[in-house]
Amino acid sequence: MEKLILENRNGKISCFENMPAAEPVACVIVIHGFGSCKESPTAQMMLEALPPAGYGALAIDLPGHGTEESYEMPLSIETALDAIESAESYLIEKYDFPRIYYFASSFGAYLTLLYLAGRRHTGDKAFLRSAAVNMPELFAADPDGPLAKELERTGYVVVQEAGPAPVKVTKELVEGLAANDLFEVIPAAIDDGVFDGVEIEMIHGEKDKTIDPAKALRFAAICDIPLTVLEGEDHTLSTDPASPAKVSAAAVEFFEG
């Protein structure tokens, strides 16, 4: 596994790269959730699980996340999509006509869907773990509430998540989330043919208290996306020690299909 730093117009993106000894069957961009990072157990699991199956893995830190270069970058929908695009561009430059896939968790899954809907992309398979299909609701600000007032006063609020460092939530991010409801954006993109040739699969915990499983099921039904529900599992999909391995195995099986 090697550390890698990519650069784009917004700054530097910290990454981990792990490639098989032979030419990879495909390269998988691993995208973490809100407050997480490339060092998270899930990202590390996929960095280890993919190369033995013949796949390269590139895990990135989203802007404003982690403790390294990416943390210095402002977080918005656009800077996050730029980071995914930079990772994909790097892989396209490194390999001749590579197959590119995505493994994305929670907020990362939300971003991946927006990326596929709105950006030119080479990738044609996306495995979405605990997808934050209703992400805008999590940051919807009451116009008279403390969050809205703090955003108006300073332009940001600092949110302490379970990750290695607090995340600065900017007014631009909140406005970007409000403007990108997946229940509107993705069905419209599907109707327009944007997702033709793109395969997506979802996996979600039955007892997820962060992203309502009922909303994940509704989204999957509307968009005709296969969804596996893990019984007894929460948002982390790790309540049962056997669950993380089930997730990685399901992802590899999907990529191989």
Side-chain angles (χ1 to χ4, degrees), residues 28-169:
V28 182
I29 303 173
V30 180
I31 307 160
H32 62 76
F34 186 84
S36 190
C37 63
K38 67 184 184 303
E39 286 87 3
S40 71
T42 299
Q44 291 296 308
M45 173 181 72
M46 297 312 300
L47 283 163
E48 295 294 341
L50 289 165
Y55 297 93
L58 179 65
I60 67 172
D61 276 338
L62 289 170
H65 285 72
T67 59
E68 299 182 309
E69 293 81 9
S70 292
Y71 190 70
E72 303 302 320
M73 200 183 302
L75 174 61
S76 70
I77 299 296
E78 291 305 310
T79 60
L81 298 186
D82 284 348
I84 299 171
E85 186 175 302
S86 294
E88 186 162 317
S89 295
Y90 163 76
L91 293 170
I92 290 171
E93 291 176 6
K94 183 171 183 176
Y95 297 101
D96 292 329
F97 307 107
R99 293 294 300 274
I100 293 176
Y101 303 150
Y102 315 91
F103 177 97
S105 298
S106 194
F107 177 47
Y110 168 85
L111 293 169
T112 298
L113 287 167
L114 290 182
Y115 179 76
L116 291 170
R119 297 281 181 105
R120 294 184 62 181
H121 56 85
T122 298
D124 58 6
K125 286 191 176 186
F127 189 87
L128 309 181
R129 169 188 167 275
S130 302
V133 295
N134 60 329
M135 190 72 190
E137 292 179 9
L138 305 185
F139 289 92
D142 177 352
D144 298 318
L147 174 59
K149 290 180 179 178
E150 185 66 12
L151 285 173
E152 193 62 37
R153 186 177 71 85
T154 66
Y156 68 90
V157 293
V158 176
V159 178
Q160 182 66 60
E161 285 289 310
V167 179
K168 183 182 286 188
V169 176

Side-chain angles (χ1 to χ4, degrees), residues 14-25:
S14 38
C15 314
F16 278 138
E17 181 181 57
N18 201 16
M19 296 291 169
E23 186 84 0
V25 175

Side-chain angles (χ1 to χ4, degrees), residues 166-178:
V167 179
K168 183 182 286 188
V169 176
T170 63
K171 185 177 181 181
E172 182 180 4
L173 175 63
V174 173
E175 291 175 346
L177 291 169

Side-chain angles (χ1 to χ4, degrees), residues 177-219:
L177 291 169
N180 287 281
D181 182 341
L182 293 186
F183 285 87
E184 297 176 0
V185 173
I186 304 308
I190 290 172
D191 288 344
D192 289 342
V194 173
F195 281 82
D196 290 353
V198 176
E199 295 180 59
I200 302 172
E201 189 166 306
M202 295 170 60
I203 192 165
H204 212 89
E206 176 197 22
K207 297 183 177 179
D208 190 332
K209 293 182 179 179
T210 303
I211 304 299
D212 186 349
K215 293 185 178 180
L217 286 163
R218 176 170 164 258
F219 178 81

